[in-house]
Amino acid sequence: MNILILGSGGREHALAWAVKQNPKCDRLIVAPGNAGIAAIAECAQLPIEDGGAVVTFAEENAIDFVIIGPEGPLAAGVADRLRDAGILCFGPSKEAARLEASKSFTKEICDAAGAPTAGYAHFTDAKAAKKYIKKQGAPIVVKADGLAAGKGVIVAMDVDTALAAIDDMFGGEFGAAGAEVVIEEFMEGEEASYFILCDGENILPVGTAQDHKRAYDNDEGPNTGGMGAYSPAPVMTDEITEKALLEIVKPTVAEMAKRGTPYQGVLYAGFMIKDGQPRLVEYNARFGDPECQVLMLRLGAQALDLLEACARGTLDQAQANWADDHAMTIVLAAKGYPGAYEKGTVIKGLDDLPEDSFNMVFHAGTIEKNGQILANGGRVLNVTARGDSLQEAHDRAYEMVQKIDWPDGFCRSDIGWRAL
Ligand code: AMP
Ligand code: GLY
């Protein structure tokens, strides 16, 4: 099988690493890829949000299966173009990817499906939105409706902050994404993520995880794309997992199918859990990054079979074989991230680290120049390890971090604190 993966982050390195181990995989191309991916696959330059260009490339290279990593190509309808061309593809249609691309759409689906989530109102006008905020009071959550690279959510602890967020959003801070806003009830509790493969009709959960969104230790500092993750998430007990599937995920998948826009791909559900009850915070239409890295290390080669069954509509016959294991990933980011940071700094020590089914350094933002690995992004490396316990995975991962020589990078020292 010739496989094309779209994307360039740690998520795509982890997907490529898992897929590559499956004997079914003949040729593996990742577009655009990064320095870590280049060590295990061919990398190709390709405008990945241009459906026509992706189809042409896939046809020219006799690609049998395309796996879409990030949300950009999904929201641009790349999966639709591939399916129209008869190419097997993992990832939802543009219409189904609205579960991530539009917060108001997701709210409407939850209403129709009876799925527990925060109370909300939807506005296209700043004056009405402000009036609503003053009436509701704080804490309150203001969200840009569209894709805003994870930055379109303001959890306001006071009314003034919420009103300022409205001014920012309608003032164009988030471009078209902020032309509509959703204002939500503030939910208290513990957050966790659940990753569920859906083939339009059948579902197959592939693991729970917890992310660390804040940049610094003790959950301080600005929000980021995620500074580390582990799987499984202990807060997702069997009982809560069952509830989440029954009350939230299954009704969502059924509602999407009923509307003639079945969801095919991975549904990344974010929950807020309090007093044994999960409520939906958000859906994403892709694997989380860095959550994917821990899931792939745990799944290994079978990931390809599962993604393929998902794309073919045969998930009812698929099964995930779990070891009773734990995985953790630590994100190494460039100093300054998520603000301004330098690119091109030299990273040493990677060659001496183990690379096996228990220890992997996935590259998130790197390039190779003259035989050296250089930082080429904000989040740069994902140091990932697996063990019989979370403590073991933690110790292995931090041991690897110690051996990486990159004075221009930083990481959190407390990944996993909630569970350990
Ligand atoms: P989202 O992009 O919707 O996941 O929001 C980003 C983060 O904001 C979430 O992971 C939560 O930590 C927080 N958040 C979003 N919605 C709410 C809510 N209704 N109540 C409390 N926190 C929220
Ligand atoms: N780690 C959060 C995300 O992928 O959205």
Side-chain angles (χ1 to χ4, degrees):
M1 191 178 227
N2 295 335
I3 298 166
L4 170 65
I5 298 177
L6 303 184
S8 63
R11 167 179 51 209
E12 288 75 24
H13 189 183
L15 287 166
W17 173 84
V19 159
K20 175 84 180 177
Q21 290 173 63
N22 192 306
K24 248 198 285 191
C25 175
D26 296 315
R27 188 174 175 204
L28 179 61
I29 308 179
V30 184
N34 62 39
I37 295 172
I40 58 167
E42 297 170 52
C43 291
Q45 288 306 319
L46 184 63
I48 62 169
E49 296 188 9
D50 177 343
V54 174
V55 168
T56 304
F57 181 88
E59 286 173 346
E60 282 172 1
N61 290 280
I63 297 295
D64 302 298
F65 186 30
V66 180
I67 298 168
I68 301 180
E71 63 275 21
L74 298 171
V78 171
D80 305 71
R81 295 294 298 273
L82 285 161
R83 281 190 204 106
D84 287 348
I87 299 166
L88 190 69
C89 168
F90 175 83
S93 66
K94 180 176 178 168
E95 190 56 30
R98 287 179 73 205
L99 281 178
E100 171 163 7
S102 168
K103 308 252 185 220
S104 58
F105 175 75
T106 299
K107 286 301 203 181
E108 187 204 316
I109 293 285
C110 284
D111 283 349
T117 182
Y120 77 106
H122 175 212
F123 296 95
T124 52
D125 156 69
K127 209 169 145 199
K130 285 185 175 176
K131 196 171 156 199
Y132 179 80
I133 288 170
K134 285 179 191 154
K135 185 166 142 255
Q136 295 291 317
I140 195 159
V141 182
V142 180
K143 300 185 174 185
D145 188 64
L147 290 178
K151 299 185 184 86
V153 174
I154 309 293
V155 179
M157 297 319 282
D158 57 72
V159 167
D160 285 343
T161 305
L163 296 177
I166 293 293
D167 284 331
D168 287 346
M169 286 183 192
F170 285 102
E173 174 129 340
F174 301 100
E180 296 183 29
V181 301
V182 167
I183 301 179
E184 278 186 14
E185 164 202 356
F186 172 79
M187 293 188 284
E188 278 178 29
E190 184 171 348
E191 285 187 82
S193 309
Y194 201 13
F195 296 85
I196 304 114
L197 298 181
C198 314
D199 67 5
E201 194 182 335
N202 309 292
I203 65 167
L204 181 74
V206 286
T208 60
Q210 258 173 326
D211 191 10
H212 299 66
K213 289 198 199 277
R214 300 299 192 103
Y216 314 131
D217 282 6
N218 305 315
D219 286 337
E220 285 171 7
N223 267 324
T224 69
M227 293 300 293
Y230 54 91
S231 171
V235 63
M236 291 292 291
T237 58
D238 288 349
E239 203 185 337
I240 291 177
T241 304
E242 195 53 42
K243 249 188 168 178
L245 288 180
L246 202 69
E247 296 177 9
I248 303 176
V249 175
K250 284 181 182 171
T252 299
V253 172
E255 179 63 26
M256 294 299 286
K258 193 174 112 193
R259 293 179 180 218
T261 53
Y263 188 92
Q264 189 263 66
V266 62
L267 196 56
Y268 161 178
F271 300 122
M272 190 70 81
I273 298 142
K274 190 167 179 246
D275 302 331
Q277 177 65 47
R279 288 207 282 169
L280 185 78
V281 177
E282 62 161 351
Y283 281 129
N284 291 304
R286 51 174 174 83
F287 280 111
D289 187 351
E291 294 93 322
C292 185
Q293 288 77 314
V294 286
L295 296 178
M296 289 305 130
L297 197 68
R298 294 186 64 208
L299 282 170
Q302 63 177 324
L304 175 58
D305 302 319
L306 301 179
L307 301 191
E308 188 191 350
C310 181
R312 289 197 192 280
T314 55
L315 270 184
D316 53 330
Q317 295 154 45
Q319 203 190 329
N321 296 312
W322 291 108
D324 189 14
D325 61 355
H326 298 256
M328 182 178 286
T329 188
I330 320 279
V331 172
L332 265 61
K335 279 182 184 162
Y337 173 80
Y341 54 81
E342 217 182 307
K343 280 189 184 180
T345 56
V346 179
I347 304 166
K348 291 185 191 151
L350 294 175
D351 287 344
D352 302 329
L353 294 177
E355 283 196 357
D356 53 40
S357 60
F358 284 90
N359 307 273
M360 272 303 300
V361 178
F362 295 118
H363 291 221
T366 60
I367 49 166
E368 200 208 303
K369 240 185 206 157
N370 306 323
Q372 286 188 312
I373 299 293
L374 309 181
N376 192 40
R379 292 189 295 170
V380 173
L381 296 170
N382 306 144
V383 182
T384 313
R386 192 159 71 93
D388 289 338
S389 65
L390 188 61
Q391 188 68 53
E392 195 181 323
H394 166 278
D395 295 350
R396 276 209 176 110
Y398 275 108
E399 209 176 294
M400 285 198 283
V401 167
Q402 289 305 321
K403 291 182 181 150
I404 296 174
D405 176 11
W406 181 34
D408 301 285
F410 77 100
C411 68
R412 279 181 61 158
S413 68
D414 64 347
I415 300 303
W417 67 268
R418 220 180 264 279
L420 296 168

